Amino acid sequence: DLPEEVLREYSEKHKKPESVNFAYGTAGFRTLGERLDSVMFRMGVLAGLRSKALGGKTIGVMVTASHNPEADNGVKLVDPMGEMLEQSWESYATYLANAETTDEFITNVQAVIYRGGISISQPANVVYARDTRPSGAALVAALEDGLKAIGVEGGGWNAGVTTTPVLHYLVRTTNTKGTPEDYGEPSEEGYYSKLAAALKALLSGKPSPPPLIVDCANGVGALSVAAFSKHVEGVFQFQPTNTDLQTPGLLNFKAGADFVKTSQSIPPALQGKLSAGQRAASFDGDADRLMYFYLDDQTSQFRMLDGDKIAALVAGHLVELVNAAGLAGRIELGVVQTAYANGSSTKFLEKRLPVKCVPTGVKHLHHAAEAFGIGVYFEANGHGTVVFSKETLALLNSHQPSTPEQTKATEDLIQLTKLINSAVGDALSDLLLVEVVLASKGYTATQWNSSYSDLPNRLVKVLVPDRSLYKTTDAERKLTEPVGLQEKIDALVAQYEAGRSFVRASGTEDAVRVYAEAGTREAADELAFKVAGLVY
Ligand code: NG1
Ligand code: ZN
């Protein structure tokens, strides 16, 4: 039976703030950390219920607000294979989070149990972690109350302060240990050993990559880079910067992947540290996004290599390896993007392999990528990974190469399946992937960047009274509501050479986003500004 009295007692310690409406969006709940106490407690309960619903499989809970300001925080649940929480449960999350009183909360918990067909006597297992945000420790304490209240085994497994991708890895490895889908040792060190072994195999016989400056956004990536470095001494060298985890206010502040992408400029802490042509990378606050950049050899201008450029590099290399392995035609490769992908990247990729556009949000990208034998997906903001189908994995392991070249390419593909974190985008794993591809091709950042030229673009945020009025179709590229607005946008776009613009409601912030690209910097800015004017 539901431990109603215990739940009630704990719930009274974590009262919902009045007049706040919580919504489980594309990245879970996300708002000011100080508002989230009741949400954390209730997500602890929900994580326990989710585990019970799946017969005791381990569910993950990550406490982070990623690239958002330090004062924000958030929470999301991770399903057994390391994927995002199933859609129907997102509404359970919102439903529990918004119960005004303890009575209503208990009633809603009972409704979830009923609707989810949950047997409360099933065991529940949960692993949880947080990033470095100052509000994190107290929020984790609230989460732990929720886990205890619903009877999670041992009160759950606290994985401490770590990155989002590590938490996803822990969930997947715990659930697959000793099965045919075994994914590695369920520990942070196990993850780093796995990556390090694959990296060493892939770099053997190749010139060592140059030491790489990594901007850790003054977040948890700094810990992850330090821990991983020990596994790859003499093979790969990091020069971590923005690693201050002590000074308040520095997390994601003029640092990190989101700063680089939105400001399209070098993080101030790196100014003067990069020589011309030398590449560097930025992680975001929970280390699941990656951006590369360098200063032009000739002009010293800042050049950004975003998620689209990473996708182009990686997909191109995978196509070559599949061909070299003698597997052309037997593995279907594809790329998945969102409407935010630069138009030039889409054109470049479409000439080489199938490209699919899906709505924003990792779950859409991941799902679409799974339809391919090898699916490469990246958001322009640097979040992404590569997924391999079961058939592809089996084919790689059973393939009988007939030349030394085929043998080498097949071995490289197998090692790549280990270097890549297919459960979720990981800045560290993606960085190693990029470095391996560059080393294989003998490419510099300049050569990588020359694959295609980005169309100038601008992303702006417009604050509106009610973002839910903005409804889209065609993978968010067209508005259906407010009625008549899309026609006005189309009329503006038609005035610009290579113009493209679209409007959608953010799934993580209370705002509407306007994206525009065009043939020149001035035109892209002007188009974005004019479309924003229509929205406002
Ligand atoms: P929203 O707020 O829905 O635009 C943002 C990013 C997404 C994704 C999520 C989750 C842009 C334009 N949007 O979503 O790509 O990363 O956050 O973190 O970058
Ligand atoms: Zn992130």
Side-chain angles (χ1 to χ4, degrees):
D1 256 23
L2 184 68
E4 199 181 311
E5 276 322 302
V6 185
L7 268 178
R8 202 174 278 282
E9 218 170 280
Y10 275 114
S11 172
E12 280 299 302
K13 289 198 230 160
H14 302 285
K15 290 199 169 124
K16 176 181 177 293
E18 276 169 39
S19 65
V20 183
N21 186 46
F22 297 107
Y24 195 99
T26 40
F29 293 106
R30 210 175 270 189
T31 182
L32 281 175
E34 64 192 31
R35 290 195 189 148
L36 282 167
D37 180 78
S38 62
V39 170
M40 290 295 162
F41 165 72
R42 293 170 186 195
M43 285 311 99
V45 173
L46 189 71
L49 291 175
R50 178 74 182 145
S51 178
K52 285 174 187 288
L54 298 173
K57 288 232 167 75
T58 298
I59 294 299
V61 184
M62 184 68 202
V63 178
T64 179
S66 185
H67 59 281
N68 290 134
E70 186 170 297
D72 287 3
N73 217 324
V75 58
K76 62 182 171 192
L77 266 50
V78 177
D79 263 353
M81 287 301 278
E83 72 277 40
M84 299 292 161
L85 178 68
E86 188 192 287
Q87 196 116 14
S88 58
W89 279 70
E90 290 185 2
S91 55
Y92 294 167
T94 303
Y95 181 55
L96 291 193
N98 288 311
E100 292 299 336
T101 60
T102 287
D103 279 341
E104 194 183 337
F105 172 62
I106 304 282
T107 307
N108 293 5
V109 166
Q110 263 149 350
V112 168
I113 291 171
Y114 178 74
R115 275 196 271 165
I118 299 163
S119 154
I120 201 75
S121 61
Q122 288 289 315
N125 291 288
V126 175
V127 55
Y128 56 97
R130 66 174 177 95
D131 69 14
T132 57
R133 284 179 159 74
S135 59
L139 292 177
V140 160
L143 175 77
E144 287 168 337
D145 277 356
L147 299 174
K148 272 183 244 157
I150 198 71
V152 169
E153 304 293 315
W157 167 21
N158 185 355
V161 175
T162 190
T163 69
T164 295
V166 165
L167 189 269
H168 283 252
Y169 170 86
L170 294 178
V171 172
R172 182 159 175 161
T173 47
T174 305
N175 286 310
T176 54
K177 185 136 189 63
T179 75
E181 285 164 333
D182 198 312
Y183 202 63
E185 271 308 304
S187 69
E188 186 163 352
E189 286 301 314
Y191 183 47
Y192 298 144
S193 314
K194 178 180 172 180
L195 294 182
L199 181 73
K200 286 173 192 165
L202 285 157
L203 286 180
S204 85
K206 300 191 180 92
S208 295
L212 185 70
I213 295 184
V214 181
D215 154 25
C216 300
N218 297 310
V220 68
L223 301 176
S224 177
V225 165
F228 178 70
S229 291
K230 300 206 179 96
H231 292 258
V232 290
E233 270 165 24
V235 178
F236 192 85
Q237 200 189 331
F238 293 91
Q239 292 174 352
T241 57
N242 286 330
T243 56
D244 186 343
L245 306 181
Q246 303 306 322
T247 313
L250 289 189
L251 176 65
N252 296 325
F253 181 70
K254 296 195 174 169
D258 196 59
F259 172 83
V260 170
K261 179 67 180 167
T262 44
S263 70
Q264 304 188 17
S265 66
I266 185 169
L270 272 68
Q271 216 121 35
K273 285 197 181 170
L274 279 187
S275 51
Q278 182 189 355
R279 60 180 177 270
S282 282
F283 289 5
D284 74 338
D286 62 339
D288 62 355
R289 287 190 189 182
L290 174 69
M291 298 293 286
Y292 265 86
F293 48 88
Y294 68 99
L295 305 177
D296 192 283
D297 325 37
Q298 319 279 277
T299 62
S300 287
Q301 260 184 332
F302 174 82
R303 305 276 182 220
M304 183 174 76
L305 294 146
D306 64 359
D308 302 337
K309 280 266 156 77
I310 297 174
L313 178 77
V314 169
H317 186 61
L318 288 168
V319 169
E320 284 169 21
L321 279 181
V322 166
N323 292 343
L327 291 168
R330 297 185 63 193
I331 298 177
E332 197 201 359
L333 278 123
V335 176
V336 186
Q337 301 187 314
T338 72
Y340 292 106
N342 196 277
S344 299
S345 78
T346 312
K347 251 193 194 159
F348 173 85
L349 285 163
E350 275 175 342
K351 285 190 196 132
R352 290 159 179 84
L353 68 179
V355 178
K356 196 162 189 265
C357 182
V358 298
T360 304
V362 180
K363 62 175 174 246
H364 300 294
L365 288 134
H366 193 94
H367 182 73
E370 281 176 338
F372 294 107
I374 300 180
V376 178
Y377 72 86
F378 274 89
E379 294 188 290
N381 62 30
H383 184 104
T385 187
V386 181
V387 293
F388 301 86
S389 72
K390 273 194 192 127
E391 293 73 27
T392 297
L393 292 174
L395 179 60
L396 289 177
N397 287 315
S398 64
H399 182 49
Q400 304 278 336
S402 41
T403 64
E405 196 211 2
Q406 288 190 357
T407 305
K408 178 79 184 79
T410 308
E411 277 169 6
D412 274 9
L413 280 167
I414 290 172
Q415 289 303 334
L416 284 175
T417 66
K418 297 175 180 168
L419 185 70
I420 292 166
N421 182 339
S422 287
V424 71
D426 175 8
L428 178 63
S429 158
D430 288 339
L431 177 150
L432 301 174
L433 172 61
V434 166
E435 292 300 323
V436 162
V437 178
L438 294 177
S440 306
K441 291 181 172 294
Y443 269 14
T444 62
T446 312
Q447 285 165 309
W448 169 17
N449 197 28
S450 68
S451 52
Y452 63 84
S453 299
D454 274 326
L455 277 170
N457 60 87
R458 185 61 63 196
L459 181 61
V460 290
K461 195 159 78 176
V462 186
L463 300 177
V464 293
D466 185 1
R467 68 179 154 143
S468 71
L469 299 178
Y470 295 78
K471 303 221 160 69
T472 60
T473 181
D474 188 23
E476 306 181 324
R477 289 173 289 194
K478 290 208 155 25
L479 283 172
T480 50
E481 290 177 37
V483 172
L485 187 50
Q486 186 60 47
E487 287 71 19
K488 290 184 189 159
I489 297 171
D490 292 343
L492 276 176
V493 167
Q495 297 168 20
Y496 293 84
E497 196 226 314
R500 185 169 73 93
S501 180
F502 65 93
V503 172
R504 62 175 274 280
S506 162
T508 62
E509 288 178 77
D510 206 2
V512 161
R513 296 196 201 284
V514 173
Y515 177 87
E517 62 186 32
T520 66
R521 168 87 276 145
E522 295 69 34
D525 288 346
E526 191 181 285
L527 179 57
F529 180 75
K530 287 194 177 164
V531 173
L534 292 178
V535 172
Y536 189 70

